Amino acid sequence: MKKCGRCAKPAVLHITEIRHGEVQALHLCESCAKEYLNESEAGGPPPDDDADLGTGEIGESSEAGDSDDSVVPACPQCGITFKEFRKQGRLGCPHDYTAFQDELLPLLENIHGETQHVGKVPKRAPKASQHQFRLIRLRNQLKAAVDEEMYEEAARLRDEIQGLEAEAGSGNSP
Amino acid sequence: MDLDALTHTSGEWLRATGPDSDIVMSSRIRLARNLADYPFPNRASDAVRADIEQLLRGEIAKSPAGKKLQYVQIDALETLDRQFLVERQLISRELSENHGQRGVGISPEENVSLMVNEEDHLRMQVLRSGFALEECWRDIDAIDDAIESSVTYAFSEQFGYLTACPTNVGTGIRVSVLLHLPGLVMTKEIQKVFQALQKIGLAVRGLYGEGSQAMGDFYQISNQATLGKGEEQIIKTIKDVIPNILAYERKVRTTLVQENRQNLHDQVSRALGNLKHARQISSEETMHLLSSVRMGINLGLIHDLEIPTLNELFIHTQPAHLQKLRHERMETAERNAARADYIRQRLTVPPSTN
């Protein structure tokens, strides 16, 4: 049995990578495989949630929000605070889903058992957005495959993700 | 829309023309949608609400389905008229009780209702007689597409259609089926059904949705989760489970007839007798008796009445309907007398053919 290329444990995942025209064989143990697949997942472009909606403000303040739940800043669009939302049970505007994403995730998980939309998509959604949607979906599938130790499926998904990312990279330049 | 004219008619969905309409009163699908660039109604100023209403009202009018719809400005209506539309299931309590500019587009058959400035900017629903979820979905999906072709909905790749309440986010879909289950109530088997439904993530509510009591043995079964499952999958979950409940209700009814035909026959006949001869009757008692009679008709124990007449009575005997019919405001005692009059008249005159 081959040993993991990164540590000494037995390898369970065998990957043939083609990067920049070079063929490279990789043998990884379970934990390194998880790490590896997460790396390649994280390597993609960050989801550009409403990049045009005053990201600066949110970016600055979300760090503070992570550390303490009670000081989650108000939504820059509608001014509602997370506390107000908890009190009345209704959000103030669509942007709250971005502004309070970290706080909403556990709540959504609790209500729906899921946190990723898989239903209908507006037909008018811009191409890039639909592309992004597919990527997110694939990344989630990848995560699930890794969690369930379905490494062949995971490798296939990872290739598909990389293909899509490459496509987006070349197609996005105007 | 002439609301007074509606007092003499009923929605198409009440006519018991759809599949399994002996037990399934109606099927309904609603979608929640919001415009991308506006706060949700509860956070919008009156001026912004007015903008949203104007915009969506215009879009609804332009859409193919919208051309047939009559638009009713809810904030211009009196309380009684708003209550009347709630009783007919054309608007929600939320829309009725909300404030600011808001409205609803209603189809002449009363099977499409598009509410503007409810909890979300747009709440669209399609109703059908009987067990007909696929037809509901086909219709509502097309209406949604048509409106979406000219407005930008609030949508995120991760969370789907964004809604004021996180319980609706994702697909924004609520699929529900209204069932008449007197047999399961009578035999106290209904609790088992509820428990089984809850286990598969379905909610059970009364006739008028959230928080309403189960009146007249009517129960609404609907999905709870809206995120992480596709519309078709959500519909399928309900579509697959309903036939089991229908079979259960039918089995219980058959057993009731076999084991105790005379008792049952006596009970439904007395119910009809009370309805035909009472001089004052509460809404609650009416619902209870109508439920018995409705089952009696389905079991062939009562012959000279039709299900659509019964379905209509469930709606037309409610407070706002009676007051609209009489063109006057009435206190509870007066209403109870008016209700008894109306029922007597409807049950002794041959059923209308509308």
Side-chain angles (χ1 to χ4, degrees):
Chain A
M1 182 176 266
K2 274 203 156 49
K3 276 188 181 171
C4 174
R6 293 190 181 181
C7 65
K9 285 186 231 157
V12 292
L13 181 70
H14 311 278
I15 302 170
T16 310
E17 287 247 306
I18 304 171
R19 260 193 194 162
H20 314 297
E22 277 178 45
V23 182
Q24 193 190 353
L26 265 174
H27 308 280
L28 298 169
C29 74
E30 198 181 319
S31 55
C32 291
K34 267 192 195 176
E35 214 169 275
Y36 170 81
L37 288 164
N38 279 331
E39 276 166 23
S40 66
E41 184 194 353
D48 58 344
D49 299 10
D50 306 308
D52 52 339
L53 297 177
T55 344
E57 283 171 64
I58 309 162
E60 279 162 31
S61 43
S62 70
E63 281 173 29
D66 287 343
S67 57
D68 188 346
D69 214 51
S70 62
V71 292
V72 184
C75 169
Q77 297 279 308
C78 70
I80 200 173
T81 61
F82 191 69
K83 215 171 156 188
E84 275 176 86
F85 156 66
R86 289 307 312 234
K87 219 166 113 192
Q88 65 199 42
R90 308 244 172 106
L91 292 159
C93 78
H95 187 70
D96 295 352
Y97 283 93
T98 309
F100 306 136
Q101 176 152 1
D102 292 345
E103 292 75 24
L104 283 172
L105 276 170
L107 196 73
L108 291 170
E109 170 86 48
N110 214 353
I111 300 168
H112 302 282
E114 305 277 344
T115 55
Q116 174 62 53
H117 176 59
V118 291
K120 192 172 173 176
V121 178
K123 292 186 179 56
R124 258 162 41 101
K127 269 247 161 63
S129 165
Q130 289 190 15
H131 199 269
Q132 194 64 36
F133 183 62
R134 247 183 91 196
L135 262 179
I136 289 168
R137 234 160 124 165
L138 285 169
R139 289 199 188 115
N140 277 314
Q141 286 174 10
L142 171 63
K143 212 169 174 182
V146 173
D147 286 346
E148 285 166 32
E149 304 183 8
M150 294 160 65
Y151 296 115
E152 274 181 34
E153 172 72 2
R156 190 191 63 74
L157 285 166
R158 195 213 44 179
D159 289 349
E160 199 177 330
I161 288 167
Q162 284 177 347
L164 267 176
E165 283 169 355
E167 214 178 280
S170 62
N172 273 357
S173 47
Chain B
M1 179 170 250
D2 180 6
L3 294 185
D4 290 316
L6 289 183
T7 54
H8 302 288
T9 65
S10 61
E12 198 168 54
W13 60 275
L14 275 169
R15 294 187 196 159
T17 49
D20 297 306
S21 52
D22 55 333
I23 297 174
V24 188
M25 185 94 145
S26 63
S27 299
R28 175 214 310 252
I29 296 185
R30 77 111 164 98
L31 297 177
R33 299 288 187 256
N34 287 281
L35 301 172
D37 303 322
Y38 293 91
F40 296 131
N42 66 307
R43 191 101 188 149
S45 65
D46 282 353
V48 172
R49 279 177 206 235
D51 285 353
I52 294 165
E53 208 247 2
Q54 211 174 0
L55 197 156
L56 280 173
R57 183 180 181 161
E59 293 304 332
I60 289 171
K62 275 194 287 173
S63 73
K67 293 203 171 70
K68 291 194 297 174
L69 301 184
Q70 298 224 36
Y71 194 87
V72 181
Q73 191 84 39
I74 296 295
D75 46 291
L77 294 183
E78 287 181 45
T79 317
L80 183 64
D81 286 334
R82 298 203 303 266
Q83 185 57 33
F84 176 77
L85 292 174
V86 173
E87 287 176 3
R88 280 182 103 77
Q89 312 237 327
L90 292 173
I91 66 170
S92 61
R93 276 191 195 160
E94 170 99 17
L95 190 75
S96 170
E97 287 160 18
N98 220 337
H99 62 93
Q101 232 170 283
R102 60 201 193 278
V104 63
I106 300 168
S107 69
E109 302 84 15
E110 298 185 34
N111 52 10
V112 177
S113 120
L114 310 181
M115 292 182 270
V116 177
N117 278 344
E118 208 245 23
E119 178 181 302
D120 296 298
H121 296 148
L122 188 58
R123 285 279 182 104
M124 308 178 271
Q125 74 162 21
V126 168
L127 268 164
R128 288 228 170 204
S129 167
F131 190 28
L133 289 173
E134 258 150 33
E135 290 81 354
C136 288
W137 171 240
R138 196 193 54 211
D139 291 355
I140 197 85
D141 191 29
I143 292 170
D144 182 44
D145 283 349
I147 293 174
E148 193 258 322
S149 69
S150 52
V151 305
T152 306
Y153 283 150
F155 180 86
S156 102
E157 279 85 0
Q158 172 160 19
F159 300 128
Y161 294 94
L162 304 177
T163 52
C165 185
T167 52
N168 296 311
V169 80
T171 52
I173 201 171
R174 190 77 66 215
V175 179
S176 61
V177 177
L178 182 61
L179 303 179
H180 185 225
L181 304 171
L184 291 171
V185 173
M186 208 184 286
T187 54
K188 301 191 169 65
E189 296 286 302
I190 194 88
Q191 217 51 43
K192 284 187 204 160
V193 175
F194 291 173
Q195 279 160 10
L197 289 172
Q198 265 149 20
K199 265 186 200 152
I200 57 168
L202 299 180
V204 183
R205 300 189 175 96
L207 182 56
Y208 286 96
E210 228 152 324
S212 77
Q213 288 284 315
M215 292 190 292
D217 306 322
F218 282 104
Y219 294 93
Q220 248 187 90
I221 316 286
S222 60
N223 65 299
Q224 273 178 314
T226 53
L227 181 64
K229 290 189 194 85
E231 290 83 355
E232 269 95 0
Q233 196 188 343
I234 292 169
I235 292 166
K236 193 177 180 298
T237 307
I238 297 195
K239 217 184 144 221
D240 288 350
V241 78
I242 295 297
N244 298 326
I245 304 175
L246 301 187
Y248 198 5
E249 169 70 19
R250 290 201 176 104
K251 194 182 120 200
V252 164
R253 287 184 188 185
T254 312
T255 315
L256 279 171
V257 174
Q258 277 169 359
E259 289 177 356
N260 233 330
R261 188 187 169 92
Q262 200 167 352
N263 266 354
L264 200 64
H265 200 169
D266 180 65
Q267 189 196 322
V268 302
S269 303
R270 279 168 183 269
L272 181 58
N274 277 345
L275 287 169
K276 271 186 173 170
H277 298 286
R279 295 285 151 171
Q280 51 185 27
I281 190 164
S282 71
S283 190
E284 201 188 332
E285 187 182 1
T286 303
M287 291 293 243
H288 179 69
L289 298 177
L290 285 173
S291 175
S292 274
V293 173
R294 195 180 189 276
M295 181 171 71
I297 299 171
N298 282 328
L299 290 174
L301 299 169
I302 292 173
H303 301 283
D304 47 358
L305 269 174
E306 289 169 10
I307 290 289
T309 309
L310 262 283
N311 288 354
E312 207 171 279
L313 280 174
F314 278 106
I315 306 293
H316 286 193
T317 54
Q318 290 184 42
H321 270 76
L322 289 173
Q323 295 175 77
K324 288 286 288 177
L325 209 63
R326 291 284 181 110
H327 301 288
E328 58 176 330
R329 306 227 158 222
M330 292 183 284
E331 296 303 315
T332 311
E334 293 173 276
R335 283 206 304 265
N336 289 350
R339 182 176 295 114
D341 282 350
Y342 178 71
I343 296 169
R344 243 185 4 256
Q345 177 210 328
R346 289 296 309 265
L347 291 182
T348 45
V349 170
S352 66
T353 49
N354 61 18

